[in-house]
Amino acid sequence: PPRTAAFLVASVLGCGVGVLTMSLDRGSLPVIVGLTVLVNVMIWLGRRLICHPIESVLTSWDRVCQDQRPGTLRLLPVHRVDEAGQIARAMYQLTSVSMRDGYEARQLRRTLDHRVARATAAATRQLTHMAMRDSLTDLGNRRFLDENLDALVQSVLDSRGTLTCLMMDMDNFKSVNDTLGHAQGDELLIFLANLIRACIRKEDYAVRLGGDEFCVLLPS
């Protein structure tokens, strides 16, 4: 232990000084003992006044670093008026800033994670909607029909209801594109899609299969 080592060092130094004194002016044994005691007292005082306070600060610092909670900062002896107190106060300020920055960083990370999750969910919903809807008319597309037809049929079977399927297309639609242009043909498709949407119920399915072909599913 440090105290035992300090005692041994002090004893050796004291004996060395005593032997040196005897060789120079023929001192006696009390001189050796006196010098040994004096050196031990000086080392004890140095340890008591310097080493022990610093060790106490370092021990408290280790506990604060391991715990990382603001309450553990009270372990630092900031009330001392000596050099150990100055070191403790410097550590207190440094640790307080570090803990605050760490807390703010964790809060910012949680906020960013929440915003990223919300943005990802919104983007996923939007992409799913786009994948299931016809880009021109905003009716369901063929993929929408494939994804929902089995569940719709099963629901009708479970309720012992009926399912009506309407298939329609526009007569002479090709001539509209050929004479008036595809832009006017698109306007006509949108107009027909709006007519279908206005005539069906919430539970009905309106689908554009492709071109001028449309399908409406009406359960019950």
Side-chain angles (χ1 to χ4, degrees):
R3 293 182 178 178
T4 304
F7 178 77
L8 292 176
V9 171
S11 299
V12 172
L13 289 175
C15 292
V17 172
V19 171
L20 181 60
T21 303
M22 289 180 62
S23 64
L24 292 177
D25 42 57
R26 305 300 178 184
S28 60
L29 181 61
V31 176
I32 299 176
V33 175
L35 289 174
T36 302
V37 172
L38 177 62
V39 173
N40 271 286
V41 170
M42 293 177 62
I43 290 180
W44 180 82
L45 287 175
R47 180 172 179 78
R48 180 73 177 175
L49 298 176
I50 300 175
C51 297
H52 180 70
I54 299 299
E55 288 177 357
S56 176
V57 171
L58 294 178
T59 301
S60 302
W61 170 256
D62 287 339
R63 294 181 61 185
V64 170
C65 292
Q66 291 173 7
D67 201 308
Q68 287 293 317
R69 287 187 299 179
T72 57
L73 289 173
R74 293 194 297 267
L75 298 174
L76 293 172
V78 295
H79 60 279
R80 297 182 66 98
V81 295
D82 54 5
E83 290 79 3
Q86 293 179 356
I87 295 174
R89 286 189 288 275
M91 289 181 171
Y92 184 94
Q93 294 176 357
L94 179 64
T95 308
S96 299
V97 172
S98 176
M99 287 182 176
R100 186 186 66 228
D101 291 345
Y103 174 78
E104 292 176 352
R106 289 190 296 272
Q107 287 292 103
L108 178 61
R109 185 184 307 163
R110 280 194 290 267
T111 301
L112 289 176
D113 290 344
H114 180 64
R115 291 181 179 178
V116 168
R118 285 198 321 185
T120 302
T124 301
R125 288 194 299 269
Q126 184 177 4
L127 289 174
T128 301
H129 177 81
M130 292 172 60
M132 297 289 184
R133 311 305 290 182
D134 175 59
S135 59
L136 179 63
T137 63
D138 200 37
L139 297 180
N141 56 16
R142 189 183 295 272
R143 181 175 180 180
F144 172 84
L145 184 63
D146 292 340
E147 292 285 337
N148 293 277
L149 183 58
D150 290 342
L152 177 61
V153 171
Q154 188 60 49
S155 175
V156 171
L157 291 175
D158 292 342
S159 63
R160 300 192 178 188
T162 60
L163 179 63
T164 302
C165 177
L166 304 179
M167 304 288 293
M168 66 188 77
D169 61 6
M170 278 195 263
D171 293 338
N172 305 315
F173 178 69
K174 184 176 181 304
S175 63
V176 174
N177 282 334
D178 292 342
T179 56
L180 300 178
H182 288 279
Q184 293 299 318
D186 289 345
E187 291 293 330
L188 191 55
L189 290 172
I190 295 172
F191 176 75
L192 179 57
N194 290 335
L195 275 179
I196 295 173
R197 190 180 290 109
C199 294
I200 62 176
R201 305 165 300 174
K202 248 169 133 182
E203 61 268 25
D204 298 333
Y205 288 44
V207 179
R208 181 189 177 198
L209 297 176
D212 63 333
E213 297 178 349
F214 294 83
C215 168
V216 181
L217 299 173
L218 304 100
S220 302

